[in-house]
Amino acid sequence: MLELAIKGSKKYYAWVAFLMAVIGIGFLVYLKQLSFGLGITGLSRDVSWGFYIANFTFLVGVAAGGVMVVLPYYLHDYKAFGKITILGEFLAIAALVMCITFVVVDLGQPMRVFNTLLYPSPGSILFWDIVVLQGYLFLNLVIGWNVLEAERNGTHYQAWVKPLIFLSIPWAVSIHTVTAFLYAGLPGRGFWMTAIMAPRFLSSAFAAGPALLILLSLFIRRVTKFDPGREQIQSLAKIVAYAICINVFFFLCEVFTAFYSNIPEHMDHIKYLFAGLHGKGSLVPWMWTSYSLMIISIILLVNPITRKHEGVLAFACVTVFVGTWIDKGLGMISGGFVPNPMHQVTEYAPTIPEILITLGVYGIGALVLTILYKMSVAVKEEVAA
Amino acid sequence: MEDSRRRFLMLAGISAVGLTAKPVLDAFAAEQKQHPTIGLKKAKDALTAKQWGMVIDTRNFHSADDLEPIIEACHKTHNVPSIENEHHEVKWIWEEHFHNAFPGLAQKYQDERTEHAPFLALCNHCENPPCCRVCPTKATFKRESDGIVLMDFHRCIGCRFCMAACPYGSRSFNFRDPRPFIEETNKSFPTRMKGVVEKCNFCAERLAVGKLPACAEASDGAIVFGDLYDPASEVRELLRTNYTIRRKQGLGTEPAVYYIV
Amino acid sequence: MSDKKLIIAGVVIFVALIAFPFWFNMGKAAPAPELKLTEHAKTANDGKCVMPVDYMKAEHMQLLDVWRHSVVRNAERTFVNTSGKEFNMSLSNTCLDCHSNKADFCDRCHNYASVRPYCWDCHIDNPKETE
């Protein structure tokens, strides 16, 4: 099927070439990081994880979000989604490729990465994160590929794929749960030490993932002969609406717990993010932007009139995606590290090399997604013709 | 010792099967006849304990100048670089204010002495170390034999999970090659390379040859080092006769560094 | 099939390319390096290394790996060799005590074999600064 991805218009090739350029630049800067060390990033002794790990966390969510089309179709027999499950699965693959790449570029000694397998440490959540992420990547590759191939051949996919599909549903939940546990189990980091960390992660995942899927569906409809379908997009929109509401609700739960209990260790992080602490607050405008975007998206998505208008819907999905990205990508990680365990404030901001490497990794994901989607759409067009 | 020998023989055996099998096997056969054992063991004069611990009598420290020689002794011994850029700073033992070292214990109306006194902060060599729990390669581990929380720099992949897990800010990461920032190299101790995490090792290399930690030695008796599990040890005697505090005790990490205030 | 010729030609080109290092370097093998021993290495411990020379030549990396594992993780720093002699397991302080000529001892062979061990990124390679 891969041959379908090398037949395309000039625009398609231009897009692929553009992505290759972005990846190339990212790679060159990464070589610099390899030779100099992580000192070229904005990371510090106090904020020891930053942009890479934040984007990794966010993208695990996007990957898990794909399950929102798989689950209704296979568990509730919601037939409409049958048409677009492949989009959800392939989005998950692209997101997972980025996740794994982000973890690797974040390592100080990447050539030793296989030490995680050589000295497996089941006590470490990172070990389990590697296991579930690789597993989910594998599941989606096998399922997506087989189902698409069967569709192309006009047959039903093999019987052994079905159990894997059922397995992939709880597995999607597990990848983001385990990723949340990376943070939630650490003593002395009040901001992360919350039992609703995993639920919060999942709610933002089920908002951001399907929101991106809607945008991709609208794009596919415009540029190809394959129409993911109005009903499908509207159903996804409802999922996004519920998920983003729950996400904001969970955040308010955190605010209540921290501020009503009045425990400084829990309040200080939220104060730093939304008001600044010890006179430092570079993230304050970002965080207010993030939550404003989420509130706007709730208004637009819950209201059926605005939701049903696809132009407005597309805008709402952008606000969901950007809002959750700022919340998880900038706030969640920095918020946990600031103030540090000694209650000092060291701020973090990504540097330009760090951003270029990050863009390079996004380029890899976009390239994988482009190829996989090109293939799927070509099969859909072929079958329809 | 048993474990090590088995590992050694295993490795020797595996490698012997390789390209160089003949000379190696010959060498082994010849040597085995005379003296059948190869061994790995502790040096005779090594200091041992079940759980090393430290009591710092902060009453002896009045200003930063009092801590300076202690910090310097440690950092010189272990080739700790002095990097100006605060973001990339590496430190094994350093000075903190009381309210930073003991955020939960700082009083609203603090007595003047502790308010202004300098406090030493270092790795607590916790009995339940969160850093070791999270390490995906066991590169940082709690040594069974003496309770020291150690780093295996050969194995560390630089994921920095341990830095997120440590509630004491005791860990530093080598954001760049540290060598240009070491003014005077102690040639009998290695440096580190970029991309690994490092921290205080309770002077494991000195204990192995019968010496006390460098900080204790430089402290004029203000830092006492010993076995926390030995009721007859000097540290236990100090803990019996003085009121002591530990950093963030409420987290259940069981720090092995105690402070007399 | 008409593609037969193409396939065979393709395979031949592929094999030729893959084998490039072999045919390119044929007959150009560099002479085996000659290692220099310091006077200290010749006399200390009756000129014997911690293990027999043949073993050391072939397996010193495995031995060093066992040493580092033992020292770092098990707190056992003394190595007892097959003749019952004891050594402090330290790359910088024991190995390089005799072999203080890293450039003429370690590096020559490592360069010849084109291996670049990064031991020296951390371990001091001139403990005595001799020669």
Side-chain angles (χ1 to χ4, degrees):
Chain A
M1 283 193 295
L2 216 45
E3 79 279 4
L4 296 172
I6 51 168
K7 285 177 215 144
S9 63
K10 277 207 174 116
K11 272 187 190 163
Y12 172 73
Y13 275 110
W15 169 243
V16 170
F18 167 73
L19 290 178
M20 297 290 241
V22 172
I23 296 168
I25 293 169
F27 183 72
L28 288 177
V29 183
Y30 180 65
L31 289 181
K32 168 87 179 138
Q33 179 183 303
L34 264 187
S35 67
F36 185 87
L38 280 160
I40 66 163
T41 67
L43 295 169
S44 63
R45 202 177 180 280
D46 286 334
V47 185
S48 45
W49 280 339
F51 221 44
Y52 300 145
I53 291 298
N55 279 296
F56 150 78
T57 308
F58 179 75
L59 288 167
V60 174
V62 172
V67 80
M68 280 291 116
V69 286
V70 175
L71 187 148
Y73 176 63
Y74 288 103
L75 285 191
H76 300 290
D77 203 23
Y78 178 59
K79 295 234 161 48
F81 274 179
K83 218 172 162 186
I84 56 166
T85 49
I86 193 71
L87 299 184
E89 284 153 355
F90 281 174
L91 176 60
I93 291 176
L96 286 164
V97 168
M98 288 188 268
C99 291
I100 293 166
T101 317
F102 269 122
V103 172
V104 174
V105 299
D106 185 66
L107 294 180
Q109 287 290 335
M111 56 292 279
R112 295 183 189 162
V113 62
F114 289 109
N115 276 3
T116 51
L117 305 179
L118 207 53
Y119 309 102
S121 313
S124 170
I125 300 296
L126 195 51
F127 170 80
W128 290 107
D129 216 27
I130 294 165
V131 171
V132 292
L133 289 178
Q134 307 269 6
Y136 197 55
L137 178 60
F138 174 76
L139 279 176
N140 276 292
L141 263 177
V142 172
I143 295 168
W145 200 275
N146 274 291
V147 172
L148 189 64
E149 197 156 49
E151 191 177 336
R152 189 184 193 191
N153 298 337
T155 55
H156 194 270
Y157 53 82
Q158 302 93 315
W160 57 264
V161 177
K162 196 80 184 213
L164 292 184
I165 292 171
F166 286 132
L167 178 65
S168 79
I169 293 169
W171 203 292
V173 178
S174 84
I175 61 168
H176 221 21
T177 305
V178 174
T179 305
F181 285 179
L182 288 176
Y183 307 101
L186 305 179
R189 305 274 179 193
F191 188 59
W192 296 335
M193 174 143 280
T194 162
I196 60 163
M197 187 63 123
R200 252 187 103 180
F201 272 22
L202 284 165
S203 65
S204 71
F206 294 156
L212 181 57
L213 216 46
I214 291 175
L215 292 171
L216 289 167
S217 298
L218 291 171
F219 176 77
I220 286 172
R221 179 198 297 167
R222 178 168 292 184
V223 299
T224 73
K225 290 189 202 102
F226 170 59
D227 179 9
R230 189 178 160 79
E231 187 196 340
Q232 285 80 349
I233 289 173
Q234 282 303 315
S235 301
L236 277 175
K238 281 176 213 155
I239 292 173
V240 177
Y242 281 115
I244 193 71
C245 288
I246 295 172
N247 189 44
V248 173
F249 167 69
F250 279 162
F251 168 71
L252 294 174
C253 293
E254 299 271 29
V255 173
F256 169 79
T257 314
F259 285 86
Y260 194 80
S261 69
N262 200 38
I263 299 173
E265 239 173 85
H266 291 263
M267 289 189 296
D268 285 349
H269 301 275
I270 302 177
K271 278 187 190 162
Y272 166 69
L273 289 176
F274 287 88
L277 196 69
H278 302 180
K280 288 179 184 163
S282 58
L283 284 178
V284 174
W286 289 94
M287 293 314 290
W288 284 105
T289 307
S290 164
Y291 276 86
S292 306
L293 289 173
M294 287 195 243
I295 299 294
I296 293 170
S297 73
I298 289 179
I299 297 167
L300 295 177
L301 287 168
V302 171
N303 184 344
I305 302 166
T306 43
R307 185 178 64 230
K308 281 179 186 158
H309 185 287
E310 282 187 347
V312 179
L313 175 64
F315 173 76
C317 286
V318 172
T319 59
V320 168
F321 196 78
V322 176
T324 50
W325 181 83
I326 297 173
D327 184 35
K328 236 167 164 176
L330 293 176
M332 185 61 73
I333 306 304
S334 287
F337 281 112
V338 185
N340 76 1
M342 261 88 69
H343 276 249
Q344 295 143 335
V345 175
T346 308
E347 293 205 282
Y348 161 80
T351 57
I352 289 177
E354 200 173 359
I355 292 171
L356 290 175
I357 293 175
T358 304
L359 286 177
V361 178
Y362 271 99
I364 295 173
L367 184 63
V368 171
L369 189 73
T370 303
I371 289 168
L372 292 175
Y373 271 25
K374 172 82 172 107
M375 218 169 75
S376 328
V377 169
V379 168
K380 300 269 185 192
E381 285 173 343
E382 209 177 271
V383 172
Chain B
M1 171 121 179
E2 268 309 308
D3 165 62
S4 314
R5 187 185 305 150
R6 211 174 303 125
R7 193 182 142 82
F8 181 85
L9 292 173
M10 193 180 77
L11 268 175
I14 293 168
S15 45
V17 184
L19 293 173
T20 53
K22 187 77 171 68
V24 177
L25 286 178
D26 289 351
F28 257 93
E31 295 284 331
Q32 295 281 10
K33 271 177 225 153
Q34 304 163 8
H35 202 288
T37 51
I38 301 168
L40 308 167
K41 61 178 193 183
K42 280 197 165 70
K44 276 181 217 89
D45 44 3
L47 298 178
T48 55
K50 289 224 173 67
Q51 168 68 54
W52 286 115
M54 189 178 267
V55 178
I56 302 178
D57 191 343
T58 62
R59 293 170 302 189
N60 296 13
F61 302 128
H62 308 289
S63 70
D65 292 344
D66 295 340
L67 302 188
E68 195 51 41
I70 297 174
I71 296 170
E72 184 158 313
C74 167
H75 286 186
K76 270 202 172 143
T77 307
H78 298 112
N79 294 326
V80 176
S82 31
I83 300 175
E84 292 282 310
N85 182 348
E86 259 184 34
H87 279 196
H88 301 163
E89 202 181 4
V90 177
K91 46 193 185 185
W92 284 28
I93 182 167
W94 70 100
E95 185 202 333
E96 276 308 336
H97 291 295
F98 183 82
H99 60 267
N100 294 126
F102 302 91
L105 291 176
Q107 301 302 323
K108 192 169 178 184
Y109 307 106
Q110 185 83 27
D111 70 287
E112 276 185 15
R113 194 183 58 79
T114 46
E115 178 69 37
H116 300 294
F119 283 80
L120 278 173
L122 69 159
C123 172
N124 280 298
H125 297 274
C126 305
E127 291 193 48
N128 302 316
C131 52
C132 301
R133 207 180 303 149
V134 301
C135 180
T137 61
K138 300 189 187 87
T140 190
F141 59 99
K142 188 162 179 70
R143 198 158 68 181
E144 296 265 323
S145 56
D146 56 8
I148 298 183
V149 174
L150 273 172
M151 276 299 304
D152 186 340
F153 300 114
H154 306 93
R155 197 185 280 189
C156 175
I157 61 173
C159 72
R160 310 188 296 295
F161 204 172
C162 53
M163 295 177 78
C166 175
Y168 305 103
S170 296
R171 291 174 166 268
S172 308
F173 181 72
N174 285 284
F175 283 99
R176 53 189 304 181
D177 180 15
R179 281 207 170 167
F181 301 93
I182 305 170
E183 282 142 32
E184 211 180 302
T185 315
N186 169 13
K187 296 193 186 300
S188 61
F189 195 77
T191 66
R192 264 69 60 198
M193 68 197 296
K194 66 168 183 275
V196 296
V197 172
E198 65 178 271
K199 64 165 199 73
C200 156
N201 66 349
F202 254 10
C203 282
E205 86 286 359
R206 289 170 60 93
L207 296 171
V209 294
K211 290 190 212 158
L212 281 173
C215 59
E217 204 178 80
S219 73
D220 263 338
I223 299 177
V224 178
F225 191 78
D227 189 354
L228 286 177
Y229 286 5
D230 173 10
S233 68
E234 197 187 348
V235 283
R236 284 289 295 276
E237 178 57 27
L238 278 172
L239 294 175
R240 252 195 305 276
T241 50
N242 291 279
Y243 175 72
T244 51
I245 55 173
R246 288 186 288 173
R247 296 178 66 195
K248 298 195 180 179
Q249 205 179 329
L251 297 177
T253 54
E254 295 290 340
V257 177
Y258 291 75
Y259 296 81
I260 301 175
V261 279
Chain C
M1 284 241 293
S2 59
D3 287 347
K4 199 173 173 183
K5 274 181 195 161
L6 275 177
I7 292 172
I8 290 175
V11 167
V12 168
I13 292 171
F14 175 76
V15 170
L17 282 179
I18 270 286
F20 173 80
F22 295 99
W23 54 259
F24 183 76
N25 286 316
M26 196 124 61
K28 283 191 267 184
E34 262 182 57
L35 306 185
K36 268 194 204 161
L37 285 176
T38 60
E39 281 311 307
H40 189 42
K42 284 178 195 156
T43 52
N45 190 32
D46 298 331
K48 280 188 191 157
C49 198
V50 295
M51 291 288 276
V53 172
D54 281 338
Y55 176 85
M56 290 309 288
K57 273 185 185 164
E59 312 286 337
H60 62 280
M61 44 298 217
Q62 272 82 2
L63 183 82
L64 285 171
D65 189 48
V66 171
W67 279 23
R68 70 155 202 86
H69 185 92
S70 170
V71 169
V72 176
R73 306 189 76 91
N74 297 343
E76 291 167 335
R77 290 177 181 247
T78 301
F79 174 72
V80 188
N81 77 1
T82 44
S83 356
K85 253 202 101 143
E86 296 190 356
F87 298 89
N88 175 25
M89 291 187 269
S90 166
L91 177 63
S92 285
N93 302 323
T94 303
C95 304
L96 292 192
D97 185 40
C98 287
H99 304 292
S100 50
N101 53 342
K102 172 176 166 281
D104 290 337
F105 190 76
C106 312
D107 292 352
R108 277 198 184 176
C109 202
H110 288 160
N111 291 342
Y112 174 72
S114 190
V115 290
R116 287 173 193 81
Y118 56 52
C119 312
W120 322 108
D121 283 5
C122 298
H123 292 276
I124 315 280
D125 60 8
N126 57 344
K128 281 177 165 176
E129 280 179 319
T130 46
E131 290 174 78

